[in-house]
Amino acid sequence: MWRPSGLFHVNYSQEIAFVQTPFQWVMLVLGLFVTFALPLFIPLDALNFFIKAFITITAVLGLTLLTGNCGQISLGHTAFMAVGAFVGAPLLNQGVPLILCLIMAGLAGGIVGLIFGLPALRIKGFYLAFATLAAFYVIRFILIHYFGGVVGHNVPPPSILGFSFNSDFRIYYLIASTCFAMTYFTKNITRCKWGRAFIAIRDHDIAANTLGVNVYFYKLMAFFIGCFYAGVAGLVLSIYMGWASVDHYSLTNCIWYLGMIIVGGMHSISGAYLGVFFILGIEEMGIVIAPKLAELFPQLAGSMIGAVPIIFVGLVLVLFIMIEPRGLVHRWEIIKTSIRIFPFSN
Amino acid sequence: MKKEIQTANSSLAVDKVSLSFGKILVINNVSFQVYEGEILSIIGPNGAGKTSLLNCLSGFYQPDSGRITYKGQEITKIPIHRRASLGIGRTFQGLQLFPGMTVINNIMSGRHILMKTNFLQAFLHWPWVHREEIAHREVVEEIIDFLEMEAIRHELVGNLGYGLRKRVDLARALALEPKILIMDEPMAGMNMEEKEDMARFIIDIEEFKSIPIILVEHDMEVVMDISNRIMVLDWGNVIAEGKPEEIRTNPAVIKAYLGDADEEVNHY
Amino acid sequence: MENILNYIIAGLANGCIYSLVAIGFVLIYKSSGILNFAQGTIVILNAFVFYSFTIQLGIPMVIAILLTLAFGALLGFVIERFILDRLIGQPILAVIILTLAFSEFLKGIMNLGWGTDILSAPQLFPRGNITILNIVTLDYSRIAFLVITFFLIIIFAIFYNKTKIGLAMKATSDDTIAAGSVGIRVRRVFVVTWIISCITAAAGGILVTNVMGIHIQVAEIGFKAMAVALVGGLQSLPGIIIIGPAMGIIEFLSAAYLDPLVDGGMRDLVPFIILLIVLIFRPSGIFGWKHIERI
Ligand SMILES: Nc1ncnc2c1ncn2[C@@H]1O[C@H](COP(=O)(O)OP(=O)(O)OP(=O)(O)O)[C@@H](O)[C@H]1O
Ligand SMILES: [Mg+2]
């Protein structure tokens, strides 16, 4: 966000405020207005893109906290989303109020995440990454075998106070509001002692420990919170799809999510937004181009639609991480500083 | 110039502590006391076991035998994070800061144990969370003034020079309002000017906050200048203990520090 | 009784392949500290290439095998040159996601190139089996598996412990900086490591698809082999050589005896469950050792 070179806060309260400059106020109000007016102006495909983006942001914010801030790599994120969906969907079916279902889905994701986060108390890095990958397969197995997995659950359009979210147009509002609420919560977590404890653990767990941070507790809480987001996002996704099936929660998606936080620069909310739109944009390009390629190469037409978006995103992520492993936000910071100190930059 | 230390008021007592890694005995039956209001320096050649001893105090290593008591309470086996709440602050030999945070946030993380915000409050940013942040921020600003770091408070510590990082480390340890401060080579790698500043801060802390300080440091001049008492470790054994003047002339100490050099000279 | 023995033998044969594939990425991990999550995909890519050489191009078997191994070597070289170069010293998350994204990319390419049907691999060994003492029935391909992987592991052990470049690899894995300072060309060691790793992947691919068929899903063998490596202890080659067959046996036994209880799928799950349990109780693996952090 653009800031004048001479921004001086007059009290500490301003420094931790959600919105810090008049310019940001304007942006926030404008942003909210545009988001909520959007469905009136854009075609349905574009709307679907934004719906997907907001769901993904909700999930990725959880990873921003868990992996970006607390440094605990989780390759099981989509599995925790599935847990949220598989707990929330039957509840919705039984007529439990939507808000309650979302909270229950979040709690279910969070608790399962906490359980599978237990190895994090003893391992980190590659080991933890692989342990969470194992968790992905274990959870998937359990969902398929004991919670009606492959067939899954039908999800009826939910409603709040008689307003039924029964079209993509209406669901958009549900999803955008959920996403913004979760964004606000993320900001809250990161601007108090919890956010600092997470980063402290990521940067130097031993030092954090000597400062009195109970590393075990906060790691588990990071899993709980991160997977809470996953659970909520999972249920929201199943509402959008009208169906909860394990196939919507693939490992590929989980890889993309982690790729998004890398692209965005790991630990900031704006990074999460940036990364999601960037990667989903690339994927969308693949989806649009695939049928055209299929016309050019008819003998490959069968697999084009499925393969091209994956090839696109995979390739872009590989190139991106090779060139700028610290993400767009990092690059942006560099540009910003060099603009601010303009004649003196090199 | 130096005040007399009351040997009746013991803050921390180490009793016959030993530690070994595999077959290597790193600390051998070490006992000592730290009294209220004193600066106790621990010196010794590289690899003498100084850092390992401090690690036992902060709980990062478990001694094989012996007891550590702090204000009458045994702390040998309690978890690392609980020691901070008891008031044990610590700075590190290397750079153990949080490079992803600004100076302010590094120091604020030192306030962790004093802040009470729970998970739900944090999630919803209760008004009280906001007030708590600000109250603690004010204390942190005092520390920043005290250590003269006003100009860098918003820098990422990853971008700071070595000397300043050491200062942030100290600020972070002070932020938890320690009742005893453990410092591992706070002046290593500093230039003359930075060392003088750091020495001044240490004396000020001892004076204004009147807390005992355990100092591990290689710079003899500084050590002789500011310590009330010095303990010398060599190969995990305490070989001498006493006032700076006594240590300066202690033959065992001279031998430990110069022993090898002497032998070398004798060869020619 | 006969049944159990049969399962054990079959599991043993399969488990040897895990060891073979696991050696591939353990070598990389030991030398450059990078865990290659794409190994399984590389295994199956080589199998597809082998399929093209034999079935689609009609190249004679032995030459096709050699060509596939050469392809594996080339792949290893290319990956090292163009990707690994950038990875050393990067955050672990970047390394993991890069290898995983690369793996997805390769899967997409394979999807385009060879489709999604299960292709049947060219027959390497004659069909049929022999029965020993009326107790164990062994089919030829399983015997071949055992013999071949055993053989490959021996060759590998000799290479690693006796040849100059093998010893350089060993030194580099113990301490990269020290190895560099005594004149070992670390970059060259990395290249050789990747080449060997991809050759073992090619060998594994050719062998395993011979019983399982060629299909992208087979790439999950990479994750199973990784579970084997972590359970054995990432630094310990002997550990991996022991745990691979053990894992194979457990897998087949649980498929036989647990599947009826949970209606199927245990075979693919058991390695992960074992891994999670081992990581909780022995974080550095059964034969691994702990890396002590100092402050
Ligand atoms: N975690 C560990 N595992 C094995 N050996 C260790 C460990 N930590 C320390 N040591 C050994 O213990 C001995 C004492 O080390 P220590 O770091 O305590 O020395 P020191 O007095 O602080 O030295 P310096 O002045 O160089 O900081 C050294 O020989 C060191 O190699
Ligand atoms: Mg030391």
Side-chain angles (χ1 to χ4, degrees), chain B residues 116-164:
Chain B
K116 301 280 174 276
T117 299
N118 70 26
F119 167 61
L120 264 183
Q121 294 165 335
F123 209 59
L124 300 171
H125 204 69
W126 236 232
W128 127 271
V129 178
H130 204 82
R131 261 177 280 136
E132 185 185 48
E133 276 297 305
I134 289 162
H136 286 269
R137 176 66 191 273
E138 273 157 12
V139 181
V140 166
E141 287 294 334
E142 277 167 28
I143 296 174
I144 288 181
D145 285 347
F146 179 68
L147 296 180
E148 299 160 14
M149 305 192 296
E150 295 86 346
I152 54 162
R153 52 158 89 79
H154 290 297
E155 299 275 336
L156 280 182
V157 292
N159 304 338
L160 296 178
Y162 197 80
L164 283 175

Side-chain angles (χ1 to χ4, degrees), chain A residues 146-227:
Chain A
Y146 300 104
F147 293 88
V150 187
V151 186
H153 302 270
N154 181 29
V155 183
S159 56
I160 293 181
L161 302 174
F163 180 86
S164 171
F165 296 99
N166 53 8
S167 66
D168 284 356
F169 182 81
R170 290 176 162 200
I171 281 181
Y172 172 83
Y173 287 101
L174 171 69
I175 283 168
S177 333
T178 314
C179 176
F180 290 153
M182 294 313 262
T183 307
Y184 177 65
F185 295 145
T186 316
K187 176 75 187 170
N188 289 348
I189 295 279
T190 53
R191 64 175 154 166
C192 71
K193 94 178 224 191
W194 284 71
R196 281 190 299 269
F198 288 160
I199 298 183
I201 290 170
R202 176 196 73 193
D203 280 0
H204 207 297
D205 51 355
I206 295 166
N209 213 187
T210 41
L211 290 175
V213 178
N214 184 345
V215 174
Y216 290 160
F217 173 74
Y218 279 91
K219 273 187 185 174
L220 288 182
M221 283 311 281
F223 267 96
F224 176 78
I225 296 172
C227 297

Side-chain angles (χ1 to χ4, degrees), chain B residues 50-52 93 184-185 216:
Chain B
K50 305 180 294 293
T51 302
S52 304
Q93 177 169 0
D184 198 352
E185 303 199 12
V216 167

